[in-house]
Amino acid sequence: MLDVNMIRTQPDAIRKMLADRNRDAGILDRFLSADSEWRSLTDENNRLRKVKNEVSVQISKMGKGEEKDAKVLEMREVAERIKGNDAGIARAEAVRDDCLLNIPNMPHPSVPVGKDSSENVVLYERGERRAFGFAPKRHWEIAEALDIIDFERGVKVAGSGFYCLKGDGARLERALVSFFLDTHAGHGYTEVFPPILVNKDALTGTGQYPNLKDDMYHLEKDDMFLNPTAEVPVTNLLMDEILDIGQLPVMYTAYLPSFRREVGKHADTRGIIRVHEFNKVEMVRFVHPDASYAALEELRGDAEGLAAALGLPYRVLLLCTGDMGFSCSKCYDMELHAPADDVWLEASSCSNFTDFQARRARIKFRPEPHLKSEFVHTLNGSGLALPRTMVAILENYQNEDGTVAVPEALRGYMGKDTIG
């Protein structure tokens, strides 16, 4: 969340940010009104408590009589006023806190202002797009012909938007996970395997709750959620902790399945481009505030390195204010090329959240033993999301005879160089 004092002192900047992000500025007005009431009542109660304490001392020294009785009655009225103010403070604080949880992060000055994804900036494209001597097939056609993805049985078990990998499809998925994790370990990341289920505090910490609550699977009996992205459990491993400065940066990588309802999204329903359950390898960094934007460039490089090692054409976009995630200060998307329909598929988002998540999850570091603790900056990036990476491999490495070549980087994991 944003610093309360920043919202109080820079309301015009917050109002502009909300407009740039296509969000209603009414939430700022609600916050400012509730915060003003909270401060006014708090100041009044501080004054009343001081008076009550001073008069109580006077009363203790007074003898019986009308003057004392009047003072006692007066202080009872003061106590009732304090009690009523306390209730008002609690109500104002609840409104203010709700607003804080729903005000997004401030974009970095380098982020372009734009209304939606059409105004994202393509920074560059890397890798050579393959020239086919035949009409390339779509990934689901390839997968069904090779019998490596079973869509019907996946739907039978769980419903629309789920699928079952089998044979070399399952093996390819496992090879990708291992390749990604091994590569990240070589770059200094510590591998973790956190819980798949997360609680509301964890979701609040990274900004998915309440912002994206309707897109998550909620287990009502236990008030738990299936994680919507591995970022949630991995980042919150350090919730409520104060790190020594010598521990920074902390770098984690993790493989986890994640789950999303994809409410209201009806495009790309064929195949595995948009599904309810997807595997992903995540990268998360906790860094000194002075190092976070340099760390973002490194994170982007880590994601790009995987695409390059797989020999997949990709491009990198700088997201505009209207398309950037709620918690992000700056975000790059890396998209892989799918040649059958000549489309680009997002396989990684690399984001700097500055101290926005750390404030919500209370993750701090101490610059020196004798100094006050400060909030770390958090970053995360997909490295990579599995379904769309598999789509790109199947379509880019398909052969005219229906087989699929295995990317060289995966052959040691697959134990073969061709599927089919």
Side-chain angles (χ1 to χ4, degrees):
M1 66 182 70
L2 296 180
D3 184 352
V4 170
N5 288 325
M6 185 175 89
I7 304 175
R8 287 172 179 161
T9 58
Q10 302 178 48
D12 290 343
I14 303 300
R15 196 175 300 278
K16 181 181 183 303
M17 176 271 287
L18 291 169
D20 290 344
R21 282 180 167 269
N22 302 322
R23 289 181 177 263
D24 187 351
I27 193 169
L28 173 62
D29 297 327
R30 284 183 64 224
F31 171 86
L32 293 174
S33 176
D35 186 55
S36 176
E37 181 181 4
W38 180 86
R39 285 188 290 167
S40 175
L41 292 175
T42 299
D43 289 344
E44 182 179 4
N45 266 11
N46 289 339
R47 180 181 59 79
L48 290 174
R49 285 191 171 96
K50 182 180 178 181
V51 170
K52 186 171 180 291
N53 290 337
E54 290 173 350
V55 174
S56 294
V57 172
Q58 295 174 13
I59 292 174
S60 68
K61 297 177 181 179
M62 296 172 67
K64 293 182 178 180
E66 292 183 0
E67 184 180 2
K68 182 176 183 179
D69 292 342
K71 288 288 185 181
V72 170
L73 179 61
E74 180 183 349
M75 288 307 100
R76 285 176 182 168
E77 293 174 352
V78 169
E80 286 299 312
R81 181 67 178 271
I82 291 172
K83 183 179 178 181
N85 285 349
D86 280 341
I89 289 170
R91 287 192 297 270
E93 190 169 30
V95 172
R96 190 185 69 171
D97 290 351
D98 179 68
C99 292
L100 277 174
L101 290 178
N102 286 282
I103 295 175
N105 200 2
M106 294 289 288
H108 187 266
S110 64
V111 174
V113 176
K115 63 181 182 302
D116 55 35
S117 60
S118 67
E119 298 189 65
N120 293 337
V121 178
V122 179
L123 298 179
Y124 51 80
E125 181 181 331
R126 299 275 164 82
E128 186 175 344
R129 297 196 213 180
R130 180 179 170 187
F132 288 85
F134 59 94
K137 295 179 180 179
R138 295 177 175 88
H139 72 279
W140 67 82
E141 298 173 307
I142 300 167
E144 288 180 328
L146 292 172
D147 196 26
I148 60 174
I149 302 180
D150 193 326
F151 294 103
E152 291 184 3
R153 289 191 173 99
V155 171
K156 180 169 63 175
V157 170
S160 177
F162 295 87
Y163 62 98
C164 174
L165 294 170
K166 58 188 294 191
D168 281 339
R171 197 170 183 181
L172 177 59
E173 184 97 342
R174 180 159 51 92
L176 284 165
V177 170
S178 297
F179 170 61
F180 293 161
L181 289 173
D182 289 348
T183 301
H184 295 323
H187 292 158
Y189 291 85
T190 298
E191 183 178 344
V192 295
F193 192 74
I196 293 173
L197 289 177
V198 292
N199 58 36
K200 196 175 293 183
D201 284 346
L203 290 162
T204 302
T206 44
Q208 279 76 16
Y209 192 93
N211 183 52
L212 297 174
K213 63 181 180 180
D214 291 336
D215 204 24
M216 294 185 285
Y217 287 97
H218 183 209
L219 310 179
E220 294 182 7
K221 185 175 181 179
D222 302 295
D223 197 20
M224 299 282 281
F225 296 79
L226 297 177
N227 84 82
T229 170
E231 163 198 348
V232 177
V234 178
T235 302
N236 283 283
L237 290 174
L238 298 187
M239 183 195 298
D240 291 318
E241 294 192 24
I242 300 177
L243 306 172
D244 294 329
I245 192 169
Q247 294 176 267
L248 298 178
V250 175
M251 299 164 57
Y252 288 148
T253 186
Y255 151 73
L256 274 186
S258 297
F259 306 83
R260 293 180 191 170
R261 293 184 182 278
E262 299 286 0
V263 174
K265 299 173 183 176
H266 304 295
D268 303 325
T269 55
R270 191 77 187 270
I272 62 173
I273 291 175
R274 191 176 294 283
V275 290
H276 295 309
E277 178 182 353
F278 57 98
N279 291 324
K280 184 168 67 161
V281 172
E282 195 82 7
M283 302 174 287
V284 174
R285 294 191 182 203
F286 306 82
V287 305
H288 190 283
D290 294 342
S292 65
Y293 284 101
L296 177 60
E297 301 305 314
E298 293 177 3
L299 196 68
R300 182 181 70 175
D302 291 340
E304 288 185 48
L306 297 172
L310 292 171
L312 296 172
Y314 68 90
R315 69 179 187 179
V316 173
L317 286 69
L318 174 59
L319 299 196
C320 71
T321 54
D323 194 40
M324 193 166 60
F326 175 83
S327 301
C328 300
S329 175
K330 186 174 183 177
C331 180
Y332 296 108
D333 271 7
M334 188 189 74
E335 299 179 333
L336 303 176
H337 188 247
D341 289 313
D342 190 22
V343 294
W344 295 94
L345 304 175
E346 177 198 328
S348 178
S349 284
C350 294
S351 307
N352 183 2
F353 305 106
T354 59
D355 63 358
F356 189 83
Q357 291 182 332
R359 284 182 183 278
R360 297 167 74 107
R362 303 166 300 280
I363 306 171
K364 296 183 175 184
F365 75 101
R366 200 175 299 282
E368 298 290 344
H370 62 287
L371 295 180
K372 183 180 178 181
S373 61
E374 301 176 20
F375 291 105
V376 301
H377 280 198
T378 62
L379 304 93
N380 89 277
S382 316
L384 300 168
L386 273 296
R388 292 175 183 178
T389 303
M390 183 173 288
V391 169
I393 289 174
L394 293 177
E395 293 195 7
N396 280 282
Y397 280 91
Q398 62 180 297
N399 299 315
E400 190 170 9
D401 64 1
T403 61
V404 174
V406 175
E408 187 173 349
L410 301 179
R411 290 175 185 173
Y413 295 97
M414 289 287 291
K416 57 170 59 180
D417 57 13
T418 304
I419 297 173

